[in-house]
Amino acid sequence: MSNRSVKDDIRDYWGERAATYDASPGHGLGPRSADWEELLTRHLGPAQGRSALDLGCGTGEMTLLLHGLGFCTTGLDITPQMMARAQAKASGTGIRFIAADAEATMEPPESHDVIVARYLFWTLPKPEAAMADWLRILKPGGTLLLIDGDHVNPPPLDWLAPWFDRILGRDPKAGHALVTPAQWDAHRAIVAQLPFREGLRSSTLLALLEQAKFQQVQADNRGLQAFRPLGWRQRLLSLGRHRFVVSARKATVQG
Ligand SMILES: C[S@@+](CC[C@H](N)C(=O)[O-])C[C@H]1O[C@@H](n2cnc3c(N)ncnc32)[C@H](O)[C@@H]1O
């Protein structure tokens, strides 16, 4: 009998994806950096040496942004190949990186002012346990910012993509043009084992945060600008794609 868990599969999957991850539009921040920066600043407030934890930091795009804003930043991930890329980009910055599981971080209680997780929550096997851990390690009044979406169901016009490819040629700006058929198979096999196998919805996330006793739980529609693809073709194909930004606070006094 195999001792492998879905997390081993997740680690292997992202290990395979690491080399091309940033080149997929929507992953590397590129020309949308200013929108992401605006989004972080609006939710997290002034950095001034406050402590920020980027969960599932991957190749470090958000980690570097947090550091650039002035947060004392930690990046955490389970996939060595993804984090190695983040560490290479962050060389000389003093950003702390830890190889750990976002569902059980092992960080000290009340050690971070803010926690950010972009495109992580949808892939967690135990989301409730993760939220309990995040509440434990946030300082009273600290902010949790979750940026995520439905990574399972394609948007309504996705069926047009092969037609555009045939008529106009393959689009280098296509969201996941760099994912191989074998990687798609691995993705599907992993998703089938996850609680959000039908696709994560913002309403589910909001309800889970309320249940976990987070305060001021809210979705931010203004933040959606940061997800907007750059070219007209990808903008059309992504119409109706479910993406969301959700923030929540830890109570200042625990009741
Ligand atoms: C879609 S990538 C997102 C990377 C980065 N946050 C970004 O916004 O570009 C998902 C990342 O989460 C990491 N990950 C998945 N499950 C994790 C877990 N349980 N603990 C820590 N990292 C995890 C993966 O290794 C991968 O680097």
Side-chain angles (χ1 to χ4, degrees):
M1 210 171 83
S2 163
N3 281 330
R4 278 183 71 82
S5 70
V6 65
K7 253 176 218 167
D8 295 315
D9 295 340
I10 290 170
R11 190 184 291 113
D12 288 354
Y13 173 76
W14 290 110
E16 287 271 317
R17 293 283 313 275
T20 59
Y21 181 84
D22 283 352
S24 282
H27 289 173
L29 306 187
R32 284 266 176 248
S33 287
D35 294 311
W36 286 108
E37 192 172 314
E38 188 275 329
L39 184 123
L40 291 187
T41 308
R42 190 153 42 83
H43 284 278
L44 307 180
Q48 287 163 347
R50 289 159 73 226
S51 167
L53 175 63
D54 183 14
L55 291 170
C57 67
T59 61
E61 291 287 289
M62 301 299 277
T63 327
L64 284 160
L65 207 52
L66 287 163
H67 170 77
L69 289 172
F71 285 100
C72 180
T73 306
T74 299
L76 176 154
D77 207 285
I78 49 164
T79 306
Q81 297 93 323
M82 291 290 272
M83 212 163 65
R85 294 195 170 252
Q87 284 171 303
K89 289 184 207 168
S91 167
T93 59
I95 294 176
R96 168 181 173 242
F97 285 97
I98 46 177
D101 184 346
E103 292 186 321
T105 58
M106 313 287 276
E107 288 288 89
E110 302 189 355
S111 51
H112 294 286
D113 293 288
V114 309
I115 295 179
V116 173
R118 188 180 78 145
Y119 308 148
L120 169 78
F121 199 77
W122 68 278
T123 186
L124 294 179
K126 294 185 183 144
E128 283 100 344
M131 281 188 180
D133 190 51
W134 303 347
L135 208 49
R136 180 185 68 78
I137 65 173
L138 265 180
K139 292 182 189 174
T143 302
L144 172 67
L145 182 63
L146 299 177
I147 298 155
D148 225 305
D150 176 352
H151 302 278
V152 176
N153 300 295
L157 295 181
D158 194 60
W159 62 273
L160 280 173
W163 291 99
F164 278 148
D165 284 355
R166 225 168 281 171
I167 297 161
L168 303 169
R170 269 179 78 80
D171 185 358
K173 293 200 188 76
H176 287 74
L178 300 165
V179 184
T180 66
Q183 288 168 349
W184 277 124
D185 287 346
H187 173 87
R188 275 188 284 272
I190 289 168
V191 164
Q193 302 173 63
L194 296 174
F196 304 122
R197 64 181 71 86
E198 307 292 338
L200 177 63
R201 309 297 300 177
S202 55
S203 52
T204 308
L205 183 51
L206 293 166
L208 283 170
L209 285 163
E210 300 270 6
Q211 278 164 30
K213 304 267 183 278
F214 275 94
Q215 314 273 303
Q216 299 176 45
V217 176
Q218 52 194 331
D220 166 24
N221 292 331
R222 254 173 81 191
L224 300 180
Q225 167 70 12
F227 295 110
R228 214 161 168 239
L230 290 169
W232 68 267
R233 191 162 146 187
Q234 292 312 318
R235 221 174 269 172
L236 181 72
L237 292 174
S238 70
L239 280 179
R241 191 191 289 277
H242 190 54
R243 293 279 183 266
F244 42 85
V245 176
V246 168
S247 68
R249 286 274 168 95
K250 175 169 170 172
T252 40
V253 180
Q254 288 302 290

